[in-house]
């Protein structure tokens, strides 16, 4: 795929199914993620590959976290949380580390990890894998963070759902650059 075609047309896909990305597809996506712009080359990121039994375990964590927030959660709602990670055969949890550095503040490490996640979904699009970046309350929840083994200062940047697209791709919107890019000083 042409780089410009990818960059101008990438879209997410929420309808994902088996099979999970192959080893070859993962190699491209992961290498793309690791080429994100990165101040000081700190590599302030790590990624958890969750699939198979792991997706069930992640769902249990979500349900436990949701029950903590609302002890009156109905069985139906609990089941909804439990099934959330099962919406794709592979979920990558993108985690920003917190590295002490005299010139690279934590916010830049978070931005670099966000750039890595974007590169990951761009890489997925390039190799024909469906991708959907999700976050929400579960990304912030202490129970989920602890269950996934996050350390002090680490932050979940996203849950990247990956798999085979089971719905047609939407057409990429085409916002007008003139609405967002302005000469400065103004003419
Ligand atoms: C940091 C981040 C978190 C996101 N979290 C969610 C989410 O929890 N749920 C959701 O429906 N979309 C979420 N999105 C947006 C989708 O991944 C997607 O980008 C959006 O629906 C627009 O579709 P497009 O990528 O095809 O333009 C998130 C995007 C980013 C960058």
């Amino acid at each position: 795929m042409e780089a410009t075609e990818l960059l101008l047309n990438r879209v997410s896909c929420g309808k994902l199914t088996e099979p999970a990305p192959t080893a070859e597809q993962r190699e491209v996506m992961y290498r793309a993620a690791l080429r994100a712009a990165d101040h000081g080359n700190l590599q302030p990121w790590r990624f958890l590959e969750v699939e198979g039994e792991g997706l069930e375990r992640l769902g249990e964590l979500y349900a436990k976290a949701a029950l903590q927030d609302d002890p009156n959660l109905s069985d139906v709602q609990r089941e909804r949380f439990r099934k959330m990670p099962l919406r794709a055969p592979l979920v990558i949890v993108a985690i920003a580390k917190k590295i002490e550095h005299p010139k690279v503040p934590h916010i830049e490490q978070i931005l670099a990890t966000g750039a890595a996640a974007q590169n990951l979904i761009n890489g997925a699009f390039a190799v024909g894998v469906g991708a959907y970046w999700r976050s929400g309350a579960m990304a912030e929840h202490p129970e989920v963070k602890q269950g996934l083994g996050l350390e002090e200062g680490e932050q979940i940047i996203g849950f990247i759902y990956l798999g085979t697209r089971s719905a047609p791709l939407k057409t990429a919107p085409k916002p007008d650059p003139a609405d967002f890019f302005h000469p400065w000083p103004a003419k």
Side-chain angles (χ1 to χ4, degrees):
M1 179 182 281
E2 281 283 327
T4 48
E5 189 195 334
L6 156 66
L7 292 171
L8 299 180
N9 294 304
R10 182 213 60 83
V11 284
S12 304
C13 179
K15 301 262 181 241
L16 300 168
T17 187
E18 301 278 354
T22 63
E24 290 75 20
Q25 289 168 326
R26 291 181 202 211
E27 176 86 1
V28 172
M29 297 186 307
Y30 297 173
R31 285 188 182 279
L34 300 177
R35 278 308 308 134
D38 173 19
H39 191 178
N41 194 25
L42 293 185
Q43 300 177 315
W45 46 54
R46 62 190 186 94
F47 304 89
L48 303 177
E49 231 180 354
V50 186
E51 54 193 322
E53 164 77 15
L55 295 170
E56 307 273 351
R57 296 262 306 269
L58 184 58
E60 295 295 346
L61 258 183
Y62 280 10
K64 193 171 166 198
L67 196 62
Q68 244 179 38
D69 289 346
D70 177 7
N72 297 318
L73 200 69
S74 72
D75 285 354
V76 173
Q77 286 168 318
R78 195 172 172 278
E79 195 57 9
R80 194 176 66 80
F81 278 99
R82 206 185 59 74
K83 286 197 168 143
M84 273 182 183
L86 306 178
R87 290 175 288 187
L90 173 64
V91 176
I92 299 291
V93 188
I95 299 167
K97 299 185 191 178
K98 188 174 185 185
I99 298 169
E100 290 308 322
H101 191 281
K103 289 191 182 147
V104 186
H106 189 213
I107 180 66
E108 294 191 3
Q109 300 174 32
I110 292 169
L111 290 168
T113 307
Q118 180 68 46
N119 270 11
L120 180 71
I121 63 174
N122 278 340
F125 194 78
V127 294
V129 168
Y132 204 102
W133 182 341
R134 297 182 187 277
S135 53
M138 292 297 120
E140 306 275 345
H141 204 290
E143 187 69 35
V144 175
K145 291 168 79 172
Q146 193 198 12
L148 288 173
L150 266 72
E151 288 169 16
E152 189 65 29
E154 288 190 326
Q155 202 165 320
I156 294 174
I157 299 305
F159 298 99
I160 315 292
Y161 285 61
L162 296 159
T164 302
R165 299 172 186 131
S166 63
L169 277 181
K170 65 185 180 201
T171 305
K174 300 269 182 283
D176 185 351
D179 291 338
F180 300 93
F181 290 81
H182 305 122
W184 186 91
K187 287 176 183 151

